[in-house]
Amino acid sequence: MAVGVDDYSSESDVIIIPSALDFVSQDEMLTPLGRLDKYAASENVFNRQMVARSLLDTLREVCDDERDCIAVLERISRLADDSEPTVRAELMEQVPHIALFCQENRPSIPYAFSKYLLPIVVRYLADQNNQVRKTSQAALLALLEQELIERFDVETKVCPVLIELTAPDSNDDVKTEAVAIMCKMAPMVGKDITERLILPRFCEMCCDCRMFHVRKVCAANFGDICSVVGQQATEEMLLPRFFQLCSDNVWGVRKACAECFMAVSCATCQEIRRTKLSALFINLISDPSRWVRQAAFQSLGPFISTFANPSSSGQYFKEESKSSEDTSVEDKNRIRDQEVPEDILIRPEDVTSDPSTSNSSVKLESTMEDDAETSSKSPGEISVSVDSSLLCTLSSESHQEAASNENDKKPGNHKSTLRPEVGTSSQDSALLDQELYNSFHFWRTPLPEIDVDIELEQGSEDQFSPETAEAAPEVPTPGSPSITMATRKELEEMIENLEPHIDDPDVKAQVDVLSAALRASSLDAPEEASSTEQRSDAQDALGVSELANCRRSPDASVPFASSAVENMDSTLCYIHNDSDLSTNSSFSPDEERRSKVQDVVPQALLDQYLSMTDPSRAQTVDTEIAKHCAYSLPGVALTLGRRNWHCLRETYETLASDMQWKVRRTLAFSIHELAVILGDQLTAADLVPIFNGFLKDLDEVRIGVLKHLHDFLKLLHIDKRREYLYQLQEFLVTDNSRNWRFRAELAEQLILLLELYSPRDVYDYLRPIALNLCADKVSSVRWISYKLVSEMVKKLHMATPPTFGVDLINELVESFGRCPKWSGRQAFVFVCQTVIEDECLPMDQFAVHLMPHLLTLANDRVPNVRVLLAKTLRQTLLEKDCFLTSASCHQEAVEQAIMALQMDRDSDVKYFASIHPASTKISEDAMSTASSTY
C-alpha cells in the first residue's frame, strides 16, 4: 500500500517542532519595548541578563521618542528589583554607558539619569550581595570620573548615603567599602564638598576603635584626602588623626601610614614637616614590625624629597616663602620658646638710648649662634661681659682688621676707627626685627651650653667701667637652652645601656636615632674647645691694653639673612667643600661623621637613609632595601643639592658596587639625571668612574646607561666625551646574541650622538658601527640603522669639506649596492629611500652619487629587491617636487627603469611599478617585505 503525503497530516500523528527562525520572526514583529517586556518577565535568568545587556541598544532604537525613552528607563527601575544578583550586577555594569547616552541626548530625556539611574547606583552600595556592591562602587566612581553626576546630586543623594553607610551601627563590610568610596571620590568632587561633607566623617572613621579594617582604609587613603583639603585642614584636623594611626596597635594600619607618608608631608608646611613629621617617621622606621619598617624605608627617600625647596637654587636651603610681616609674630614666639634670658633681650629703644650701650648690643640668640659658628673658624673672636646684662661680641672681621694693623696704627687710632657713630645704632636696631629669624639659625640644632668661667667673670666685673667696657675678656657663651650638658650625658648613658643588645635590629634603630641626636647636639663641642684655647692664646699675644681700644662695629655684628646664606661656605663650620673632600682621602671618625651633616633635612632622617646600604638592613628589614635606596637617590640628591653631595657620595659608591645587579641597574637608569643635578665638575669626578664600570657590567645594567647614553655624554667636557668613542664598539658585543633590542637601542642612541661629535669622529668611529648594524640579522635593528646611516650622510655632506660624506656614499655603494647577497642590495635600496624621504642630500647630489647605482638594481635577479625598488621610485622619488624640477636626464632614466619594472615577470613588481598606491613609510615597506626577506 502506498503511503501518501496526506497520511502524515493527521494531528494525532504529526508533531510540529518550531525552529529558531520562528522565534526570530516573532521577535522582529515586536516593538523594542515589547521585546524588552517579553524577556524581562521571563523566568529564565539568562533572558533577564540579556535584557540588562541590551538596554543601551533599546534606548538607541527609541531615542527619537521621549515617551519611549522614559518607558525604557522605568523598566530599568523595575529590573533593578530583580531577585537574582547576577541580573542586578549585569544591570549595574551597563549604567555608566546608559548614563553617558542620557547625557548626550539630554534634550530628549532631561534629568533621566538623576531620576532613574542614580538612585539605583546609590541603593546598590548597600546591597547584600558582594558582587553587586562592587559593581555599583565601580559604576559610581566611573560616573564621577566622567563628570556625569551633577554637583547637587553629589551633595544631596550620594554623600548622605555614604555617611549613613559609615554610621557606627552599619554593617562592617559595608562600612569599610563606604569609607573606601568616600576616599576615592574626594579628588573627583573637589575641596569644598570633601571638606564640608566627607572630612568630618573621615576623621571619625580614623578613630574607629572596633574595626581596624576601617582605620586601615583611612590610613591607606590619608594622603589623597590631605591633598584634596589642603594645608590648613590637614594641619588642623587631619594631622592629629594621622599621629593616632601611626601609633595604632595593628601593624597593618601603621604600614599603611608609612606608605602614604610622602603625600601627607606634601600637604603640610615646612615647619611641621621638620618638627613633627620627621620624629613621627623615625618612630615608624624603628617600629617593632618588620613590615612597617620595610614600608617606612621604602617611603624614606620620597619623604626626604618633600624637604626640597622650590625656590632654592639647588645649592643650599633657603626659605623665602614668607615675608617679613608674616614671620614677625612667629619670630617672637620662637625666641620666647628658646628661653633667651630676659637680660639678653634688648629692645630697640633701649639700644639707642646710650651711645656706649649701643656699641655693646647683641642680636639675640641668633646672633650668638652665628658668632659661635664664626668663632670656630676664626680664633680671634672675643665676648665682653657688661654688668652681666649686656653682651658684646667682637666680630672676627673687625678683630682681624685691628690685629693686622696694630703695627701701623696707634691704639687711639683703633678706637677712633672702630667706634661707630651714634646714628648707626638706630639703623642697627631698626634691622633687629629682620634679623630675628634666619632659616639656617632656626633649623640648626642649638649649640651646647658652656658655663662661664667664674674667675674671668669676676675679673671682668671688677675691671668694668664705662671707659673699659670693651676690654674685659670672657669665654663666649653659645646659647643652647634646649640641649644641655646633662641631656647629652643622659643620651650617652642610654646608648651605653643599649649597646650590649645591638644585635637586635630594633635596638640598633634606637641606637642610631639616639646617636644622631647626640651627634647633632655635641657636633661643635671639640671645635668650641679648640677655639677657646686659641682665643686665650690670642689674648695673651695681644694684651688686655690693646684689646681695650677695640670696639665692635655694628655692621659686623651679625651677617644679615641674605649674607648669611650667601656666605654659608664660610659660616658653616661643619659643611665641607667638595674640593676638600676630594683632596683628603682619609678622615678621622669625627670628621667622617661631620662630612655627612647638612641643614636641608633633619639629620636623623638622612642618617637612616644612609644606613639603607648596611648589609644588616637586608637581613632585618628587606632584602631589596638597597634597591629602594638606589631608586630614590636622585630625589634625595636633588633635595640636598650639589653642595651636600658629599653626604651621599659614599652611599652612591656602595650602591654602585652592590652584589645585586638590580641595584646597579637602577643606578644605571638614573645616572644621567644625577649628572644634571650635580653639574659637570662633580659628574666628572664622581660619576664618570661609576659610569665606566657600568659599561662593563651585565647587559641588564649596561642597557640602563645605553638608553640614556646621549643624555649623559652631552654633560661631559668635549675631551672627556671623546674618550667614549673607543668604547662604543663594545656595545655590539652582548652576553646573549639574541638580545637584538640592545643593538636597536644602540642605533637609536647613535642617531642622537651625531650632534655631539665632529665629522671626522663620526666617520672614524661611528661609521663602522652603523654599517655593521645595517647588516644585522634582525630586521628591526636594520630599519633603525637605515635611519642612522641616512642621518650620518646628511651630517657628513654638510661638513666642510664634504669629503667624508662622499667617502661614506662610496662605501655604501661598494658594501651594499654591489653586495653579492641580495639582502645587502635590498639594504642599499632602503638607505636610498630614507635619504630621499628625509632629504638628507640635495637632489642633484643624490642623482650623481646614488641614482645610477640605484637604477641598476632594476635588473636584479631577486624579486624582493625589484619590488622595493619599484616602491622607492614610484612612491618616494616621484613624490618629490625637487626631483620633478631637476634635470630631464634623471627623469628619463627613472621613467625607463619604471617601464622596465612594469614589464617585469613578477606580478608584485608589476603591481607596485604600474599603479600609484597611497604613500607608505619605510617601516611599512619593510614590514611588507619582511615575510619574503627572512
Side-chain angles (χ1 to χ4, degrees):
M1 178 180 175
V3 179
V5 177
D6 294 338
D7 294 335
Y8 291 92
S9 61
S10 174
E11 293 183 2
S12 60
D13 297 332
V14 178
I15 300 177
I16 301 176
I17 302 176
S19 66
L21 295 176
D22 296 328
F23 290 108
V24 172
S25 61
Q26 294 177 10
D27 287 347
E28 289 179 350
M29 296 175 61
L30 296 174
T31 63
L33 288 177
R35 289 197 303 270
L36 195 66
D37 292 335
K38 174 182 177 181
Y39 290 105
S42 173
E43 296 182 358
N44 192 329
V45 175
F46 298 104
N47 286 340
R48 301 202 299 276
Q49 286 182 348
M50 184 184 68
V51 170
R53 293 193 192 101
S54 61
L55 284 172
L56 184 59
D57 295 332
T58 305
L59 272 175
R60 288 197 177 104
E61 292 181 19
V62 301
C63 62
D64 295 334
D65 192 335
E66 180 180 344
R67 289 179 299 177
D68 288 346
C69 290
I70 298 299
V72 173
L73 293 174
E74 291 175 348
R75 284 160 176 77
I76 292 177
S77 301
R78 290 200 298 266
L79 191 64
D81 299 327
D82 197 287
S83 59
E84 180 60 37
T86 56
V87 177
R88 301 198 301 273
E90 187 66 44
L91 173 62
M92 193 50 53
E93 289 181 1
Q94 303 299 320
V95 164
H97 306 290
I98 299 174
L100 184 60
F101 175 82
C102 294
Q103 181 71 18
E104 294 173 351
N105 296 271
R106 192 179 183 88
S108 301
I109 41 178
Y111 309 110
F113 172 76
S114 177
K115 182 177 180 181
Y116 296 101
L117 298 180
L118 186 58
I120 302 175
V121 176
V122 173
R123 190 178 71 196
Y124 279 4
L125 293 174
D127 197 275
Q128 295 181 352
N129 185 269
N130 182 57
Q131 182 183 4
V132 176
R133 291 200 308 273
K134 294 296 183 184
T135 53
S136 65
Q137 294 164 12
L140 178 60
L141 293 178
L143 294 169
L144 289 170
E145 185 177 4
Q146 298 177 15
E147 299 180 354
L148 296 177
I149 305 180
E150 297 290 339
R151 184 182 182 86
F152 177 78
D153 292 335
V154 172
E155 296 186 23
T156 58
K157 296 183 179 181
V158 178
C159 289
V161 173
L162 291 175
I163 294 174
E164 181 182 353
L165 294 178
T166 55
D169 57 347
S170 179
N171 180 272
D172 293 342
D173 294 337
V174 174
K175 182 191 296 185
T176 304
E177 294 170 356
V179 172
I181 289 294
M182 290 171 61
C183 297
K184 292 178 181 178
M185 65 182 286
M188 304 177 190
V189 299
K191 178 180 178 180
D192 180 54
I193 294 179
T194 302
E195 205 164 355
R196 286 190 294 106
L197 303 177
I198 297 179
L199 185 59
R201 180 50 59 91
F202 178 82
C203 293
E204 294 178 13
M205 294 297 99
C206 291
C207 304
D208 192 309
C209 301
R210 190 171 61 88
M211 286 288 296
F212 82 90
H213 295 288
V214 174
R215 301 198 304 273
K216 185 176 180 180
V217 172
C218 292
N221 297 277
F222 210 95
D224 296 334
I225 298 295
C226 290
S227 61
V228 172
V229 298
Q231 178 177 326
Q232 182 177 357
T234 297
E235 295 175 356
E236 294 178 357
M237 300 183 64
L238 291 175
L239 273 189
R241 308 298 189 278
F242 189 65
F243 274 76
Q244 295 176 7
L245 293 174
C246 287
S247 58
D248 198 276
N249 56 358
V250 178
W251 67 265
V253 178
R254 303 196 301 274
K255 178 177 179 291
C257 290
E259 292 171 345
C260 71
F261 214 94
M262 176 186 176
V264 176
S265 178
C266 291
T268 60
C269 66
Q270 189 77 276
E271 181 179 357
I272 290 180
R273 194 176 299 140
R274 283 179 171 274
T275 57
K276 297 182 179 180
L277 292 183
S278 299
L280 183 63
F281 196 84
I282 293 295
N283 293 337
L284 293 176
I285 285 183
S286 309
D287 197 271
S289 172
R290 175 171 181 169
W291 306 112
V292 179
R293 296 198 303 271
Q294 179 176 328
F297 273 108
Q298 291 182 19
S299 300
L300 177 56
F303 176 49
I304 290 177
S305 67
T306 62
F307 287 87
N309 192 349
S311 62
S312 173
S313 64
Q315 297 296 320
Y316 47 79
F317 175 76
K318 182 179 180 182
E319 187 172 9
E320 298 177 343
S321 59
K322 296 181 180 179
S323 61
S324 58
E325 293 80 8
D326 297 335
T327 58
S328 59
V329 178
E330 298 180 5
D331 296 338
K332 297 177 182 178
N333 295 335
R334 288 172 187 149
I335 297 172
R336 188 181 300 110
D337 295 339
Q338 291 171 349
E339 299 178 17
V340 180
E342 293 181 0
D343 55 350
I344 298 179
L345 291 174
I346 302 174
R347 294 186 297 273
E349 57 268 26
D350 296 335
V351 175
T352 57
S353 60
D354 187 29
S356 62
T357 306
S358 65
N359 298 334
S360 57
S361 62
V362 68
K363 298 295 184 182
L364 302 180
E365 184 181 9
S366 62
T367 303
M368 294 187 294
E369 288 185 5
D370 185 82
D371 293 338
E373 291 167 32
T374 310
S375 67
S376 63
K377 282 194 172 183
S378 55
E381 184 174 342
I382 296 175
S383 283
V384 181
S385 176
V386 183
D387 253 351
S388 69
S389 63
L390 298 178
L391 292 176
C392 175
T393 306
L394 180 65
S395 68
S396 59
E397 294 81 5
S398 61
H399 174 70
Q400 290 172 356
E401 181 182 357
S404 63
N405 297 332
E406 63 176 337
N407 295 328
D408 301 332
K409 296 184 179 180
K410 295 180 181 180
N413 293 336
H414 286 285
K415 186 173 183 179
S416 61
T417 302
L418 297 178
R419 181 186 300 274
E421 298 295 333
V422 176
T424 60
S425 61
S426 60
Q427 178 184 2
D428 185 45
S429 62
L431 295 171
L432 183 61
D433 290 338
Q434 299 179 10
E435 286 298 306
L436 291 180
Y437 176 71
N438 177 275
S439 61
F440 166 71
H441 297 303
F442 177 69
W443 295 123
R444 187 178 190 275
T445 304
L447 296 173
E449 184 175 309
I450 301 177
D451 296 334
V452 180
D453 194 316
I454 299 177
E455 295 180 0
L456 291 176
E457 188 175 11
Q458 291 176 351
S460 64
E461 291 177 357
D462 296 337
Q463 297 174 2
F464 174 75
S465 66
E467 292 79 9
T468 61
E470 303 84 357
E474 181 190 51
V475 178
T477 308
S480 178
S482 60
I483 299 182
T484 62
M485 297 291 290
T487 305
R488 293 202 304 275
K489 291 180 179 179
E490 292 177 0
L491 292 175
E492 293 174 354
E493 292 177 359
M494 294 174 64
I495 294 175
E496 291 177 0
N497 295 333
L498 292 174
E499 282 180 351
H501 311 284
I502 199 67
D503 295 335
D504 189 343
D506 300 330
V507 176
K508 186 176 185 302
Q510 296 178 9
V511 171
D512 293 340
V513 176
L514 294 175
S515 301
L518 179 62
R519 184 164 59 251
S521 64
S522 61
L523 183 61
D524 293 332
E527 299 176 353
E528 291 293 339
S530 62
S531 62
T532 304
E533 294 176 1
Q534 293 172 351
R535 282 194 297 271
S536 62
D537 296 340
Q539 293 172 15
D540 295 337
L542 294 175
V544 177
S545 60
E546 295 178 354
L547 293 174
N549 298 316
C550 295
R551 303 292 297 269
R552 178 190 177 96
S553 171
D555 296 335
S557 60
V558 175
F560 295 145
S562 59
S563 62
V565 176
E566 293 170 357
N567 300 321
M568 192 168 287
D569 284 334
S570 61
T571 58
L572 298 185
C573 59
Y574 54 81
I575 290 185
H576 293 251
N577 292 330
D578 295 330
S579 58
D580 298 337
L581 289 176
S582 59
T583 56
N584 299 331
S585 58
S586 60
F587 297 98
S588 65
D590 293 337
E591 290 175 340
E592 186 175 358
R593 283 195 298 270
R594 283 196 295 270
S595 69
K596 296 179 181 179
V597 176
Q598 41 68 52
D599 66 324
V600 180
V601 301
Q603 188 62 34
L605 290 178
L606 183 60
D607 291 341
Q608 291 291 343
Y609 178 80
L610 298 179
S611 71
M612 292 176 71
T613 57
D614 190 344
S616 63
R617 294 290 192 190
Q619 302 296 329
T620 59
V621 180
D622 186 4
T623 56
E624 294 191 348
I625 188 172
K627 181 182 177 182
H628 298 304
C629 180
Y631 183 82
S632 57
L633 195 140
V636 176
L638 179 63
T639 302
L640 296 179
R642 67 184 63 171
R643 177 185 296 275
N644 295 313
W645 166 243
H646 58 272
C647 301
L648 298 175
R649 181 188 291 110
E650 183 180 350
T651 300
Y652 190 78
E653 293 173 353
T654 303
L655 293 171
S657 59
D658 196 275
M659 294 296 295
Q660 301 181 66
W661 64 266
K662 292 182 179 180
V663 177
R664 304 194 303 275
R665 174 185 169 93
T666 303
L667 293 181
F669 271 93
S670 62
I671 192 171
H672 67 289
E673 299 288 356
L674 192 58
V676 175
I677 296 171
L678 298 184
D680 53 354
Q681 294 183 358
L682 290 175
T683 296
D686 298 330
L687 297 188
V688 166
I690 295 175
F691 183 83
N692 295 338
F694 288 158
L695 292 179
K696 302 174 183 179
D697 212 312
L698 301 175
D699 285 351
E700 289 80 3
V701 180
R702 295 170 69 201
I703 189 65
V705 295
L706 178 60
K707 277 185 173 292
H708 303 284
L709 187 62
H710 169 262
D711 298 329
F712 185 83
L713 294 184
K714 72 179 181 180
L715 301 174
L716 303 181
H717 191 268
I718 181 62
D719 296 334
K720 196 70 176 178
R721 190 187 304 155
R722 290 192 75 254
E723 296 178 5
Y724 290 94
L725 287 171
Y726 308 95
Q727 304 181 41
L728 293 176
Q729 192 80 22
E730 299 177 3
F731 283 110
L732 293 175
V733 181
T734 57
D735 299 337
N736 184 2
S737 60
R738 296 182 178 179
N739 190 4
W740 61 267
R741 291 181 177 85
F742 200 90
R743 301 189 297 276
E745 186 62 41
L746 175 60
E748 294 276 9
Q749 288 297 312
L750 289 179
I751 296 175
L752 301 175
L753 289 177
L754 292 176
E755 66 179 14
L756 300 181
Y757 293 104
S758 64
R760 174 170 288 278
D761 289 338
V762 170
Y763 184 81
D764 292 342
Y765 298 100
L766 302 188
R767 173 189 54 83
I769 303 175
L771 297 181
N772 193 327
L773 293 173
C774 284
D776 197 88
K777 295 180 179 180
V778 180
S779 58
S780 296
V781 178
R782 296 196 302 272
W783 299 337
I784 303 174
S785 303
Y786 302 148
K787 173 71 173 178
L788 170 61
V789 172
S790 64
E791 291 294 329
M792 197 173 293
V793 169
K794 181 178 182 179
K795 179 181 179 64
L796 297 180
H797 174 75
M798 294 174 63
T800 305
T803 54
F804 292 121
V806 176
D807 293 342
L808 175 58
I809 292 175
N810 293 336
E811 187 171 2
L812 286 174
V813 173
E814 293 295 329
S815 301
F816 294 94
R818 300 171 182 172
C819 180
K821 293 184 178 181
W822 69 270
S823 58
R825 301 192 299 274
Q826 187 188 52
F828 179 75
V829 182
F830 270 125
V831 171
C832 293
Q833 184 186 38
T834 311
V835 170
I836 298 171
E837 285 183 346
D838 298 340
E839 298 182 359
C840 299
L841 277 178
M843 190 52 63
D844 56 342
Q845 296 294 321
F846 179 83
V848 172
H849 297 291
L850 290 175
M851 183 83 76
H853 308 286
L854 181 65
L855 297 181
T856 57
L857 297 178
N859 300 322
D860 196 276
R861 61 182 182 274
V862 179
N864 287 23
V865 179
R866 302 197 302 273
V867 167
L868 184 58
L869 177 63
K871 288 182 178 181
T872 301
L873 297 178
R874 192 71 175 169
Q875 301 175 11
T876 305
L877 187 60
L878 294 181
E879 288 290 315
K880 295 295 182 180
D881 296 335
C882 55
F883 173 74
L884 298 177
T885 58
S886 61
S888 59
C889 60
H890 302 311
Q891 295 185 22
E892 293 177 1
V894 171
E895 291 175 358
Q896 291 178 4
I898 291 178
M899 291 179 61
L901 293 173
Q902 289 175 350
M903 301 173 62
D904 196 275
R905 59 183 180 274
D906 188 89
S907 59
D908 291 335
V909 177
K910 284 183 179 181
Y911 173 78
F912 286 105
S914 301
I915 65 172
H916 191 269
S919 258
T920 58
K921 296 298 182 182
I922 181 172
S923 59
E924 298 173 355
D925 294 337
M927 290 296 293
S928 65
T929 58
S931 59
S932 58
T933 302
Y934 293 115

